Amino acid sequence: MTRLAIVIGSTRPGRNGLPIARWFTARAEAHGGFDIEVADLAAIDLPLLDEPHHPRLRRYTRDHTRAWSETVARADAFVFVTPEYNTGYPAALKNAIDYLHEEWRYKPVGFVSYGGVAAGTRAVAQLKQVVTTLRMFPLVEAVNIPFHAQFIGEDRRVEANEVMEQAAVAMLDELLRVEAQLRQLRADAGG
Ligand SMILES: Cc1cc2nc3c(=O)[nH]c(=O)nc-3n(C[C@H](O)[C@H](O)[C@H](O)COP(=O)(O)O)c2cc1C
């Protein structure tokens, strides 16, 4: 089984990221290929990066960093659930990425993005630039949800359309394929 961490990138009260992440998590569970852990950045509550050393050294001094390091290290693959804030992605997500280094290396990442007409794709474009610096492998297959509020009911559950459902399966299939090919690179790198 591929260990998949689904990272919820928005942290604000009332965030739509939560129902969207719940919908996607259910789809990932139904897929059957993954052992899933949800990493909710609101619950993890990392302060702004407060480590004195470059994360590549792994000389962590704070318990919250060690806990986050273990969460990311035990995952084989990621899905980042991200909104678009001012055509970028949330600061909380950048902060969580910057905390670590090798823990991300040679692992694939897919994106569930949402927003207005651009469906969060500008946030994803920025994320791709950052994650490749960490030697992550961003997928082409993605779930991009335009005008996401229309899919969230009064009960805060997502009623997905067929495009979203198919995109989720395509991304999860690709995540498994790419993850399998990256295992050797991770083994060679000792992690
Ligand atoms: C600070 C802020 C900036 C935003 N900027 C954008 C934007 O650039 N593009 C967009 O499509 N939506 C933008 N929105 C609207 C968000 O798509 C919408 O509020 C979404 O629900 C935010 O995700 P969240 O609810 O998980 O926080 C912005 C919302 C906030 C709070």
Side-chain angles (χ1 to χ4, degrees), residues 10-12 14-18 20 82-88 114-120 122 148 156:
S10 69
T11 55
R12 64 183 191 93
R15 63 211 158 123
N16 287 313
L18 193 56
I20 290 169
T82 185
E84 187 172 282
Y85 290 164
N86 300 311
T87 69
Y114 52 96
V117 67
R122 295 169 296 198
H148 55 284
R156 304 291 291 154

Side-chain angles (χ1 to χ4, degrees), residues 9-133:
S10 69
T11 55
R12 64 183 191 93
R15 63 211 158 123
N16 287 313
L18 193 56
I20 290 169
R22 285 186 176 139
W23 163 74
F24 182 77
T25 300
R27 292 303 168 278
E29 281 165 354
H31 184 278
F34 300 94
D35 185 4
I36 296 165
E37 177 171 12
V38 175
D40 181 352
L41 295 186
I44 291 168
D45 199 21
L46 289 167
L48 281 177
L49 181 59
D50 59 356
E51 287 288 348
H53 310 295
H54 192 290
R56 123 168 66 80
L57 303 172
R58 289 181 97 152
R59 286 172 57 197
Y60 303 135
T61 64
R62 316 272 180 183
D63 285 346
H64 55 251
T65 314
R66 292 187 196 100
W68 180 229
S69 168
E70 282 169 23
T71 299
V72 173
R74 66 177 167 256
D76 302 314
F78 298 90
V79 167
F80 290 173
V81 180
T82 185
E84 187 172 282
Y85 290 164
N86 300 311
T87 69
Y89 59 96
L93 185 51
K94 181 68 160 63
N95 188 50
I97 293 168
D98 290 343
Y99 254 95
L100 308 175
H101 191 83
E102 285 177 10
E103 295 89 334
W104 301 111
R105 188 170 58 183
Y106 301 138
K107 295 178 182 177
V109 55
F111 302 98
V112 175
S113 71
Y114 52 96
V117 67
T121 52
R122 295 169 296 198
V124 171
Q126 290 190 1
L127 272 164
K128 284 182 173 174
Q129 185 184 355
V130 170
V131 299
T132 52
T133 306

